[in-house]
Amino acid sequence: MKHLIRGTLLTTALVMAATSVGAEAGARPFFTEVAKDTTVYRLMPDKSMKPIALLTPNKRYDVVGVSGGYYQVEVNGRRTYGLKRDIPLKTALLTQAVVADSQYDRLLHNYTAHSVKRGVPYYYGFLTEAQAVSQADSALKGSWRLGAAPGRQAVPDIATFDWERDIRVGDSTSFMFQAQYWMVLNQVTMAYHYTKDAKYLAYGKQLVEGWVKQYPTAQYKRYPNAYHQQGTAIRTFHLINFWNQFKKSRLNNDPAFSALVLRTVEGHGDILSTPSFYRPRHNHGIFQDMALTDIAETFPELERSSEWRDLAALRLTEQLDHSLSPDNVHLEHSPGYQVYTYEMLYRFNRWIEANAFTTSPRLEAVRQMPETLTHLVKPNRTLPLFGDTTGEPRTMSMISTLRNYPHLMYAVSGGKEGERPLERTKQLHTQYAILREHWGEKEPFADAISLMMTAGFHNTAHKHQDDLSIDLYGYGRDFIVETGRFGYTTLPQRNAAVHVNAHNTVNTGTRQLTLHPSTIGKSGIVSVEETEGLQRALGYSELIGQDMHHTRSIAHDQAGTVIVADTIRSDSRASFTQRFHLGVGLEPVAEQTGEMTFRDKEGRTLQVVQLPVASSGAMKRESSFIAYRDFEWVPRHQVVSTKTGAGTSFVTLFHMSKSGTNVTFSNVVENDASYVVTYSLSDGRSRTIEMPKGEGPVLELEEVEISE
């Protein structure tokens, strides 16, 4: 090696092949630092390589280009050639200008192909091998399989597919959403993960190229379908996971595609970090923060990654401070989203821990979220249809960590597994009150009476017009039940399901509740208690409008009887409507003034008695509908009572029976603080129950009097 000069070059030896690069302004984005003496070469006229110098260990040299199996390394202002296997390609910072400049495509391609920043991916939608291969094969054959209705999308040629005009949306707004967040890319990525068959990655490459061409990130405001707040975040997860598989595959031989992916990732980071695009106080914002973290940790070389990492951690802390209560209730008005949000955040936590990242300290609280679900599971192993919750039975796969929570296991398994909970009454922050008869100690588990009430307005996320609405279950069936969400759609049933008339509460005439920033925090559960065999809860709401104040107290006497007492205070005269929507299959069998009785095919009965209090009113039966599952719309009955006055009261008695007992006598006496209800049953039992009128969030319940 006597002809090699360490760290310098003979000027005359490089005159023919060298290209001066000193005129280019600014620091070079790529460089190398070798660990040992490393030979660099001169390109000879006959295309051979002549060794001419040694790079000094631990000294920085700019890398300015790529030539076949060599990197072009600048030494003393001249370009030399080093074998790729000898030259570790590095970068300190990739500016937006560098990523956007096509002259760097080949360097970006080589750098990203070998960069390893994390070992464990974050999957938004995890699939088993059978699921992934089946769905990916369907896509390759020209039929996408999406979760939302109509379920399938014909894509005969992905190369010419138009993501707007060719998508058969149907009635579901979720179908376009799932297509645009690249559910199919996740399917082919996971199919490749399991099989290592490159055909899946080839299809994914075409999908990415076609979409990016149609929807450039710089023009995101023009494309609301493509750049949905949550959809953009989910697409980011899928793109990064695809790229981490693709870059290590034999297909990764296209510098233009590597650069395209990096530009798309950076563009998504810019969008996700833009304040006007961000959704605060909403789970969509949580997903945006998760996706921004994913970008920052996977591509720390990007110019803004450090900024994005800090921003995401700060915003995520604010999101969780707002949406996760001190007792770990997810405050988006829907038990179903307690499940969904936990599962997403749990997997995100695992990803952070597996890769030794740090972000919001509030993520520690996520571990306790499943404990809350224990009390929200009804005796038939469904969740109440509060907010955007569906009514399918929950199984042992409800959450992936179910077996770590023995009380929740007991609730979901119907008492067959896990550990029996001790609490029968539970207040979950200001959002839910739960009164449960038993946990199957002596009677059948599924026969337990369950009375729940929901309240609270924290943001608009999944909030229906349902303040102080109730869910009443017993003896194996729903007696009073919410309408469900119907599904995210443009069909009129969706609006009907959200409307105040679809809920078991009180409103004024046809007026909707006031869901406005000015009324956030102006409703909630005040207290829940159990004393001497009586379970009670109290809630209030100022969302009814026009400076009216609504309090509702509910009670269950452990003998099949429930009382609901509504007090509405108002300075102005208005018409008030109280609605209770019945379970499917309860048909009217008796009716008289202020009283109705319903029975199902199994002989279970519900007696509804409107006790005479405050102004006189009318009670009637009307038709209603329910959606236990998306796009289901099953007819049922509702009991509607109306009164007019400057404020009013309703005291409603419900008696459930599976043996034919009924209320033979009932009476109510009103005083300043409460309603005292007395009733007798056909089997000789009698009760006296005091129902507090309530004054709002500072009220404490009075002691109750019970007599046999």
Side-chain angles (χ1 to χ4, degrees):
M1 300 293 290
K2 62 182 180 179
H3 299 297
L4 301 183
I5 302 175
R6 186 189 306 276
T8 63
L9 295 175
L10 296 174
T11 303
T12 56
L14 294 174
V15 169
M16 294 181 63
T19 301
S20 176
V21 292
E24 296 181 22
R28 301 298 176 84
F30 294 97
F31 66 93
T32 189
E33 291 175 337
V34 296
K36 60 181 180 180
D37 290 348
T38 302
T39 302
V40 289
Y41 303 84
R42 169 190 174 186
L43 177 63
M44 304 301 292
D46 62 0
K47 306 300 182 181
S48 65
M49 288 290 183
K50 178 180 179 180
I52 55 173
L54 294 174
L55 300 183
T56 303
N58 302 317
K59 181 178 179 180
R60 174 172 172 154
Y61 297 91
D62 287 339
V63 178
V64 295
V66 183
S67 179
Y70 295 85
Y71 287 124
Q72 297 172 346
V73 183
E74 185 181 280
V75 182
N76 289 348
R78 300 293 179 178
R79 187 167 297 182
T80 67
Y81 294 82
L83 287 167
K84 287 181 178 179
R85 66 170 183 260
D86 298 333
I87 305 295
L89 185 61
K90 300 181 179 182
T91 185
L93 191 70
L94 293 177
T95 66
Q96 191 173 46
V98 168
V99 173
D101 194 335
S102 61
Q103 72 169 308
Y104 295 111
D105 281 5
R106 299 187 70 188
L107 283 168
L108 289 171
H109 168 74
N110 281 266
Y111 176 78
T112 56
H114 298 96
S115 62
V116 178
K117 298 302 184 297
R118 61 174 189 170
V120 180
Y122 173 75
Y123 285 110
Y124 170 78
F126 185 82
L127 302 172
T128 65
E129 181 174 357
Q131 291 170 331
V133 171
S134 174
Q135 293 169 17
D137 284 347
S138 180
L140 267 59
K141 293 175 183 176
S143 179
W144 286 359
R145 287 160 55 181
L146 305 181
R152 287 184 180 267
Q153 169 65 44
V155 185
D157 183 3
I158 184 63
T160 60
F161 182 64
D162 188 305
W163 288 78
E164 294 279 345
R165 296 173 183 168
D166 292 343
I167 291 183
R168 181 168 54 92
V169 176
D171 298 320
S172 170
T173 57
S174 297
F175 190 77
M176 173 67 83
F177 173 64
Q178 291 177 354
Q180 293 283 1
Y181 75 51
W182 291 356
M183 181 177 280
V184 173
L185 186 68
N186 184 55
Q187 294 165 3
V188 297
T189 299
M190 297 203 74
Y192 175 79
H193 166 76
Y194 289 119
T195 68
K196 297 299 182 282
D197 191 330
K199 68 182 181 183
Y200 298 118
L201 294 183
Y203 188 87
K205 180 175 183 285
Q206 287 186 293
L207 184 153
V208 172
E209 288 174 327
W211 189 94
V212 172
K213 181 179 179 180
Q214 187 166 349
Y215 300 116
T217 55
Q219 300 175 34
Y220 75 92
K221 292 182 179 180
R222 294 177 54 188
Y223 307 109
N225 284 332
Y227 291 100
H228 179 276
Q229 292 165 328
Q230 184 185 14
T232 300
I234 297 172
R235 184 170 56 248
T236 299
F237 300 138
H238 294 335
L239 175 59
I240 289 175
N241 289 338
F242 170 78
W243 174 244
N244 282 331
Q245 296 284 347
F246 186 91
K247 73 179 185 181
K248 296 177 289 187
S249 76
R250 62 178 175 81
L251 298 184
N252 188 20
N253 53 18
D254 182 356
F257 182 67
S258 299
L260 175 73
V261 169
L262 195 59
R263 289 168 193 145
T264 303
V265 169
E266 185 190 52
H268 277 57
D270 280 334
I271 295 167
L272 291 166
S273 64
T274 300
S276 60
F277 186 78
Y278 186 64
R279 186 74 180 269
R281 298 191 169 193
H282 199 286
N283 71 76
H284 292 180
I286 293 176
F287 280 100
Q288 290 174 283
D289 297 332
M290 291 163 60
L292 202 57
T293 302
D294 200 359
I295 293 173
E297 297 292 359
T298 308
F299 301 93
E301 313 85 354
L302 291 176
E303 182 179 20
R304 296 185 63 194
S305 281
S306 178
E307 170 197 339
W308 289 340
R309 183 184 300 107
D310 293 343
L311 175 64
L314 176 64
R315 294 194 316 195
L316 185 56
T317 297
E318 292 175 349
Q319 286 276 10
L320 294 177
D321 282 344
H322 168 77
S323 65
L324 200 59
S325 73
D327 56 348
N328 307 303
V329 179
H330 183 240
L331 301 176
E332 289 197 357
H333 320 103
S334 301
Y337 274 80
Q338 179 87 5
V339 178
Y340 173 72
T341 305
Y342 166 75
E343 192 64 24
M344 297 303 104
L345 290 174
Y346 163 73
R347 280 193 252 150
F348 189 62
N349 255 339
R350 286 191 64 194
W351 174 73
I352 289 170
E353 293 168 358
N355 294 284
F357 302 152
T358 57
T359 184
S360 170
R362 284 289 280 125
L363 283 168
E364 282 297 314
V366 171
R367 303 179 194 278
Q368 282 72 52
M369 288 178 69
E371 296 289 356
T372 299
L373 286 167
T374 300
H375 305 279
L376 287 167
V377 177
K378 294 165 60 172
N380 64 348
R381 294 181 282 176
T382 68
L383 294 172
L385 300 182
F386 294 144
D388 280 337
T389 302
T390 54
E392 71 276 3
R394 303 291 166 159
T395 67
M396 298 297 281
S397 62
M398 178 182 186
I399 59 172
S400 56
T401 58
L402 185 71
R403 295 193 176 276
N404 296 334
Y405 302 92
H407 287 161
L408 181 57
M409 277 183 65
Y410 192 88
V412 174
S413 70
K416 296 177 181 178
E417 296 187 58
E419 180 181 332
R420 179 184 290 121
L422 298 178
E423 296 175 293
R424 299 189 304 173
T425 59
K426 190 73 174 179
Q427 178 177 349
L428 298 177
H429 196 57
T430 60
Q431 194 155 271
Y432 306 111
I434 296 117
L435 313 178
R436 187 184 184 112
E437 183 184 15
H438 60 75
W439 287 99
E441 297 92 330
K442 297 180 181 180
E443 300 292 330
F445 184 94
D447 277 4
I449 292 172
S450 164
L451 175 61
M452 300 188 190
M453 180 165 64
T454 186
F457 176 43
H458 311 283
N459 48 58
T460 58
H462 306 290
K463 175 66 176 175
H464 287 209
Q465 297 273 330
D466 61 354
D467 251 33
L468 303 181
S469 188
I470 65 168
D471 180 288
L472 177 59
Y473 170 97
Y475 309 134
R477 66 133 45 246
D478 284 328
F479 283 103
I480 306 294
V481 61
E482 282 283 74
T483 299
R485 71 179 188 179
F486 184 74
Y488 304 128
T489 174
T490 56
L491 290 173
Q493 288 92 331
R494 169 61 182 178
N495 289 334
V498 174
H499 196 278
V500 68
N501 290 351
H503 303 291
N504 303 309
T505 188
V506 177
N507 68 298
T508 56
T510 59
R511 182 186 177 92
Q512 295 275 71
L513 301 184
T514 307
L515 302 181
H516 183 271
S518 64
T519 58
I520 287 177
K522 293 189 175 181
S523 74
I525 303 299
V526 177
S527 59
V528 174
E529 69 169 7
E530 181 170 3
T531 177
E532 298 180 12
L534 184 77
Q535 299 174 328
R536 292 189 306 185
L538 177 69
Y540 82 102
S541 175
E542 295 179 5
L543 275 59
I544 197 168
Q546 298 176 314
D547 296 321
M548 297 177 185
H549 186 88
H550 179 196
T551 58
R552 170 170 276 187
S553 57
I554 61 175
H556 171 225
D557 71 350
Q558 305 286 292
T561 302
V562 163
I563 298 174
V564 177
D566 291 300
T567 304
I568 302 97
R569 293 182 173 86
S570 172
D571 292 331
S572 57
R573 188 175 179 83
S575 174
F576 299 93
T577 304
Q578 179 203 61
R579 298 176 185 272
F580 293 110
H581 298 262
L582 307 187
V584 176
L586 285 168
E587 297 298 331
V589 293
E591 185 172 338
Q592 57 185 329
T593 303
E595 182 178 330
M596 295 182 186
T597 302
F598 300 84
R599 179 182 293 122
D600 68 11
K601 292 181 180 179
E602 286 73 35
R604 294 167 292 196
T605 57
L606 175 68
Q607 191 174 2
V608 185
V609 182
Q610 198 64 265
L611 299 176
V613 66
S615 58
S616 61
M619 181 183 185
K620 61 181 178 179
R621 175 171 47 87
E622 294 183 358
S623 61
S624 179
F625 294 86
I626 187 171
Y628 280 109
R629 296 168 181 80
D630 281 351
F631 306 111
E632 184 179 77
W633 203 235
V634 179
R636 55 168 174 170
H637 299 285
Q638 63 172 310
V639 176
V640 182
S641 300
T642 56
K643 293 186 178 183
T644 301
T648 194
S649 301
F650 298 90
V651 178
T652 313
L653 184 152
F654 300 93
H655 181 69
M656 299 162 287
S657 176
K658 61 178 179 178
S659 60
T661 61
N662 63 289
V663 175
T664 58
F665 168 80
S666 60
N667 186 52
V668 59
V669 176
E670 180 180 6
N671 57 44
D672 290 341
S674 63
Y675 309 99
V676 181
V677 177
T678 302
Y679 74 92
S680 299
L681 298 176
S682 57
D683 61 6
R685 291 178 293 171
S686 64
R687 295 283 195 279
T688 298
I689 300 174
E690 186 174 356
M691 302 293 292
K693 291 181 176 179
E695 294 292 340
V698 297
L699 178 74
E700 294 185 0
L701 288 176
E702 302 289 333
E703 286 296 316
V704 68
E705 176 187 350
I706 308 175
S707 63
E708 291 291 345

